[in-house]
Amino acid sequence: MQCPYCGKEMELGLVQSPHEIAWLKGDTKHAFAIAAAHKDAIVLSPLNIKNMITGCAVRAFLCRSCKKVIIDYSDES
Ligand SMILES: [Zn+2]
């Protein structure tokens, strides 16, 4: 994938966590951060039986020049 900011090739990697990974609307941290508790939340990697062992992860592309990380959640479940 090419960086939409500078056009350089981006590096594929993972954003990983032992907890659910979700996008939550707004820029304030939430005390209760699971997606089910928030309207408009997007689950990027659910905490399920499989992920309890391996951890939650979502594919992400990195541009070191622009310091941007892009997550395409269209193929995540
Ligand atoms: Zn870039």
Side-chain angles (χ1 to χ4, degrees):
M1 177 176 179
Q2 287 187 313
C3 176
Y5 295 91
C6 70
K8 290 180 183 172
E9 192 63 25
M10 301 184 84
E11 297 173 53
L12 176 61
L14 296 174
V15 173
Q16 210 170 339
S17 170
H19 306 288
E20 173 188 85
I21 301 173
W23 178 91
L24 303 176
K25 192 171 185 176
D27 63 353
T28 305
K29 281 187 178 179
H30 301 276
F32 196 59
I34 65 166
H38 297 275
K39 184 176 180 274
D40 300 323
I42 303 291
V43 177
L44 302 172
S45 182
L47 185 58
N48 54 30
I49 297 294
K50 177 187 162 203
N51 290 345
M52 282 183 180
I53 297 167
T54 60
C56 297
V58 61
R59 287 165 30 114
F61 289 90
L62 171 77
C63 178
R64 294 180 193 270
S65 298
C66 299
K67 300 188 181 333
K68 305 290 186 202
V69 174
I70 295 178
I71 296 171
D72 177 0
Y73 67 94
S74 62
D75 64 344
E76 301 298 330
S77 58

